[in-house]
Amino acid sequence: MFTKNKKHVPLLRYWTTRYLLTLIVGLLLLGAGSVWWIKETTLENRLKLMEYMAVETADRVAQSSDFGGFDKRMGDRTRFFEMENQPVLMITDMEGNVLNTGPMHGGGGPRRFSGKVPSEIIANEDSVKRFTENGTDIYAVKAPISMNQLQAGWVVVMQNAGDLTNVDQEYRLLLILLVGLGLLGWIVIYFLTKRILKPIQDVAAAAAQVREGDYAIKLDSDHRELEIYELITSFKEMTSRLIQLEQMRAELLAGVTHDLKTPVTSISGLVQAVRDGIVTGEERQEFLDITLKEINRLQTMISDLLEFNSLAAGAFTIREENCDLNKLVEDIGRQWQVTQAEPVDLKVITPGHTIRTMTDPLRMQQILINLLNNSYQAMDDEGTITLQLSEGRIDVMDTGSGIPEAEQALVFERFFRGEKKKLKVRGLGLGLSFSKMLARSLGADLILKESNSSGTTFSILWLKKHK
């Protein structure tokens, strides 16, 4: 099956580019929204100012009682709009005939109506009216002129819609703000990405170093970021574990070579002695018995390796049946006790009621016998082993010297053997690892419950309910 060759991009360029594109899109949307809001707000404010101007002018006209003599200086008030083209202010009678107009500043505003304002402005009930003239949208604001409680005319203020919403200065400020935010955001993400990238690059370099078989890595774990700290710490722990496994592998090769070579050498010497007639009679028989013991020990080690490999590869069978665990535990304890060369103080404790479960009795026997053998090897001349069944668990306890704390986390590692056990018992270090795998295949788990100078307890915990 063929896969596409994807071009790998440096993390710094990947994230900064995508962040910048996202930032630009976001700022464009923000800018568009801001422009719309500025236009609407400016239009609303200027229309209110035009309305205020119309009302104020109407009041002043009413007080002067002279339409024709209206002070033209009122037109100067339009300068407060701060627009390039100022609005046109007009005074009309009730029919809309223009009586007077304020001066117009700039030539781009609405045209001056010299005769009559459009009737739609006068007839409109609202004070603000938008209409179109010669393709140009114009806003008109009117206010009534009242004299002696009677309306005498109108004050009309008009301005082009484009001039009302034209705020170039605000747009320039908005553009400067958006560009500044974009540059600032890009600079921030660039330096933050570089900061995060540095430890990742260090871990990648360390991984390449480990790949070449060099485990002497140096990584700085003094990082405030939790994820970076956990990544580096986990990698260092993984490297330490690889170092331990490498040491265990070297010890395994040396141990297996020694354990296999020793019985083969013994067997060879014993058989040659018998063949050459060096030993005769009872001594000859004793040599043959020793030869058989060495052969059995050699077969046991080879069998352990084969069984472990079969279990690890899944090439084994589990034949579950509805078992009486009380009887099974008692039978296994009794059978193991009678097969020991020397008397063993073994206590088998079962509850008053029967516990039944679906399990493979042969596999359970393998696990318990291995645990009992380990307990027996851990004790000195005197001591007690307790095999106890309770709801959901089976405990194997001994009164031995315990497992050193530094070795407790490694007891279930394949081929691991404690320092004391190496000197005391020969083997491959597969027993507990093999037993744990068997337990899991039975729907249970094997754990080291506790171990100290007073003894050790291993527990088989069922992960499924008993019947």
Side-chain angles (χ1 to χ4, degrees):
M1 184 176 180
F2 296 96
T3 57
K4 283 187 175 182
N5 293 325
K6 295 183 178 179
K7 185 178 179 181
H8 298 284
V9 181
L11 188 61
L12 182 62
R13 189 174 70 185
Y14 181 88
W15 282 116
T16 52
T17 303
R18 278 155 181 76
Y19 176 80
L20 184 59
L21 292 175
T22 305
L23 184 63
I24 290 174
V25 172
L27 290 177
L28 288 176
L29 294 176
L30 179 62
S34 299
V35 168
W36 176 85
W37 181 82
I38 290 173
K39 278 188 174 183
E40 293 299 316
T41 303
T42 303
L43 177 62
E44 182 181 357
N45 291 337
R46 286 179 172 174
L47 286 176
K48 286 181 179 179
L49 187 57
M50 287 170 62
E51 190 173 1
Y52 169 76
M53 177 182 288
V55 172
E56 183 189 26
T57 304
D59 290 340
R60 288 181 175 271
V61 170
Q63 291 174 8
S64 68
S65 301
D66 182 9
F67 286 12
F70 171 65
D71 188 0
K72 295 183 179 181
R73 290 178 299 174
M74 292 296 298
D76 295 336
R77 294 182 179 274
T78 60
R79 296 175 182 175
F80 293 121
F81 285 93
E82 297 181 354
M83 292 184 295
E84 181 180 354
N85 300 312
Q86 301 299 329
V88 172
L89 186 148
M90 294 176 291
I91 298 174
T92 73
D93 58 15
M94 292 297 296
E95 287 74 26
N97 298 310
V98 178
L99 303 177
N100 199 351
T101 62
M104 184 171 60
H105 303 274
R111 72 176 180 84
R112 189 194 307 263
F113 290 89
S114 58
K116 188 176 182 178
V117 299
S119 59
E120 56 185 312
I121 298 176
I122 302 301
N124 186 41
E125 294 181 357
D126 297 329
S127 61
V128 179
K129 173 65 177 177
R130 177 172 178 171
F131 66 98
T132 303
E133 183 185 14
N134 298 327
T136 302
D137 290 335
I138 300 175
Y139 279 94
V141 178
K142 67 181 181 180
I145 302 173
S146 299
M147 292 183 177
N148 299 322
Q149 298 183 349
L150 295 175
Q151 183 173 351
W154 300 95
V155 173
V156 180
V157 182
M158 292 191 296
Q159 179 60 292
N160 292 342
D163 289 331
L164 286 174
T165 57
N166 185 18
V167 281
D168 292 337
Q169 184 176 1
E170 283 77 1
Y171 294 156
R172 287 194 294 269
L173 291 175
L174 177 62
L175 178 62
I176 293 172
L177 178 63
L178 293 178
V179 172
L181 286 175
L183 290 175
L184 179 62
W186 181 79
I187 292 172
V188 169
I189 196 63
Y190 178 82
F191 284 104
L192 286 179
T193 303
K194 284 195 70 174
R195 175 180 171 81
I196 296 175
L197 183 62
K198 180 61 169 60
I200 296 177
Q201 290 174 330
D202 292 341
V203 172
Q209 184 178 338
V210 171
R211 182 184 59 199
E212 299 298 326
D214 183 6
Y215 301 121
I217 63 171
K218 293 181 180 180
L219 290 174
D220 181 15
S221 58
D222 186 19
H223 290 272
R224 295 183 62 183
E225 297 86 351
L226 177 61
E227 291 77 8
I228 297 295
Y229 171 78
E230 290 179 345
L231 172 65
I232 294 176
T233 303
S234 299
F235 190 87
K236 292 173 74 173
E237 291 176 353
M238 180 196 71
T239 306
S240 299
R241 189 70 176 274
L242 287 174
I243 293 174
Q244 290 179 341
L245 292 176
E246 188 68 19
Q247 292 175 346
M248 290 169 57
R249 185 182 68 85
E251 292 177 0
L252 167 67
L253 291 175
V256 169
T257 302
H258 178 268
D259 289 341
L260 292 178
K261 180 180 179 181
T262 300
V264 169
T265 303
S266 299
I267 291 170
S268 176
L270 293 169
V271 170
Q272 287 183 7
V274 173
R275 186 193 64 180
D276 296 340
I278 298 175
V279 292
T280 57
E282 294 182 0
E283 190 176 13
R284 178 177 180 274
Q285 186 63 39
E286 182 181 357
F287 270 42
L288 291 175
D289 291 339
I290 296 174
T291 301
L292 288 175
K293 287 183 180 180
E294 293 294 327
I295 291 174
N296 289 334
R297 187 158 66 87
L298 190 60
Q299 288 177 335
T300 299
M301 287 190 289
I302 295 174
S303 177
D304 288 345
L305 281 173
L306 291 175
E307 285 190 353
F308 183 83
N309 288 334
S310 298
L311 186 59
F316 70 101
T317 56
I318 297 293
R319 295 184 176 86
E320 290 189 340
E321 56 185 78
N322 193 355
C323 296
D324 180 348
L325 287 181
N326 300 55
K327 185 176 184 303
L328 179 62
V329 169
E330 291 172 352
D331 290 346
I332 293 173
R334 183 171 57 254
Q335 292 173 12
W336 178 82
Q337 189 175 24
V338 299
T339 58
Q340 300 307 305
E342 299 179 0
V344 180
D345 184 8
L346 174 65
K347 295 180 180 179
V348 180
I349 303 175
T350 56
H353 61 282
T354 301
I355 300 177
R356 307 187 69 88
T357 191
M358 294 296 296
T359 190
D360 186 332
L362 177 60
R363 301 299 184 184
M364 183 57 64
Q365 181 180 11
Q366 287 179 281
I367 298 172
L368 290 179
I369 287 179
N370 182 58
L371 293 177
L372 291 170
N373 286 335
N374 284 352
S375 296
Y376 179 69
Q377 294 164 2
M379 296 191 304
D380 296 327
D381 296 336
E382 297 181 357
T384 301
I385 300 176
T386 303
L387 177 59
Q388 181 174 358
L389 170 67
S390 56
E391 285 290 345
R393 66 191 303 145
I394 300 177
D395 295 320
V396 179
M397 299 169 278
D398 63 63
T399 58
S401 57
I403 302 172
E405 186 175 354
E407 298 178 359
Q408 291 181 15
L410 301 172
V411 292
F412 292 108
E413 292 290 342
R414 58 189 70 182
F415 306 116
F416 175 78
R417 300 176 67 205
E419 294 298 328
K420 293 182 180 179
K421 197 169 184 179
K422 289 178 184 178
L423 303 175
K424 194 173 182 180
V425 181
R426 290 181 179 177
L428 298 177
L430 291 173
L432 286 175
S433 179
F434 179 70
S435 297
K436 190 175 184 70
M437 294 173 67
L438 278 178
R440 288 182 174 175
S441 68
L442 297 176
D445 194 13
L446 175 61
I447 65 170
L448 173 61
K449 183 180 179 182
E450 60 179 345
S451 183
N452 49 50
S453 58
S454 300
T456 300
T457 301
F458 283 93
S459 298
I460 303 173
L461 306 177
W462 261 267
L463 303 179
K464 56 184 180 181
K465 295 182 178 179
H466 302 304
K467 292 186 177 180

